């Protein structure tokens, strides 16, 4: 028992006497200034502003492809980088966007092609993944898809 108490006492003595250095003297002021500048710049996010958040194609025939262009602007303080644009289904294809950083005030665009699948009122969401504060922005397309007049009509039941 005496050995255990002696061992714990020695351990405590070493622990309390080994921390004599003042940690504040080890701080490099240049590193603190650089970190402050880095943190200030990191809080300046780009803002993705669209000319329209929704496009309505109106009435279209079934299986008719239609396209629209969504224009956007970087209204924030940092460079905008769009990393991905994807749609809620395979019938809507976003394409032709720049993967290069867009400076504040810069403008860009992307095309969305809808293949006319579905029937009646159709709504699709396009998600834009970028380095904005939210991380994703969405736009929407809608259309009223009329039935294909050339489609075979189901046989009437007798």
């Amino acid at each position: 028992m005496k050995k255990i108490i002696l061992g714990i006492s020695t351990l405590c003595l070493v622990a309390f006497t080994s921390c004599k250095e003042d940690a504040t003297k080890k701080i490099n002021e240049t590193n603190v200034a650089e970190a402050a500048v880095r943190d200030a710049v990191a809080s300046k996010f780009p803002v993705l502003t669209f000319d329209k958040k929704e496009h309505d194609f109106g009435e279209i025939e079934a299986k008719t492809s239609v396209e629209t262009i969504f224009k956007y602007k970087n209204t924030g303080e940092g460079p905008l980088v769009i990393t991905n644009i994807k749609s809620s289904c395979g019938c809507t294809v976003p394409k032709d966007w720049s993967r290069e950083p867009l400076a504040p005030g810069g403008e860009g665009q992307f095309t969305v092609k809808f293949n006319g699948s579905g029937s009646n009122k159709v709504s699709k969401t396009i998600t834009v993944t970028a380095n904005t504060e939210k991380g994703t922005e969405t736009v929407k397309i809608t259309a009223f898809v009329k039935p294909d007049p050339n489609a075979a009509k189901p046989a009437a039941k007798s």
Side-chain angles (χ1 to χ4, degrees):
M1 182 71 169
K2 289 181 183 180
K3 289 182 181 181
I4 293 176
I5 293 175
L6 183 61
I8 291 175
S9 299
T10 306
L11 183 64
C12 290
L13 182 64
V14 169
F16 289 127
T17 59
S18 65
C19 297
K20 290 182 181 178
E21 289 185 52
D22 186 8
T24 59
K25 292 180 182 175
K26 293 183 179 182
I27 295 175
N28 184 342
E29 292 301 321
T30 307
N31 291 344
V32 172
E34 288 176 7
V37 169
R38 181 197 65 222
D39 292 345
V41 170
S43 66
K44 294 181 180 179
F45 287 101
V47 177
L48 184 58
T49 306
F50 290 98
D51 66 335
K52 60 184 176 182
K53 295 283 278 183
E54 185 173 337
H55 179 80
D56 187 358
F57 288 111
E59 287 188 10
I60 61 172
E61 296 287 333
K63 307 297 181 209
T64 302
S65 291
V66 288
E67 288 186 354
T68 188
I69 295 175
F70 284 96
K71 295 182 180 182
Y72 57 88
K73 185 174 185 176
N74 179 2
T75 57
E77 297 179 22
L80 173 69
V81 179
I82 295 178
T83 56
N84 194 19
I85 302 178
K86 64 180 180 176
S87 67
S88 56
C89 80
C91 62
T92 307
V93 181
K95 59 184 180 177
D96 303 331
W97 76 88
S98 173
R99 285 148 175 87
E100 297 297 317
L102 184 64
E107 297 181 0
Q109 66 183 32
F110 62 92
T111 305
V112 175
K113 184 176 182 179
F114 173 59
N115 70 4
S117 64
S119 61
N120 297 324
K121 186 73 171 173
V122 177
S123 179
K124 303 297 176 187
T125 302
I126 296 92
T127 304
V128 179
T129 305
N131 63 329
T132 58
E133 191 167 10
K134 277 181 22 180
T136 59
E137 306 290 332
T138 58
V139 293
K140 208 164 114 174
I141 61 165
T142 57
F144 186 85
V145 181
K146 296 188 293 187
D148 186 357
N150 299 324
K153 303 218 186 256
K157 293 183 181 180
S158 306

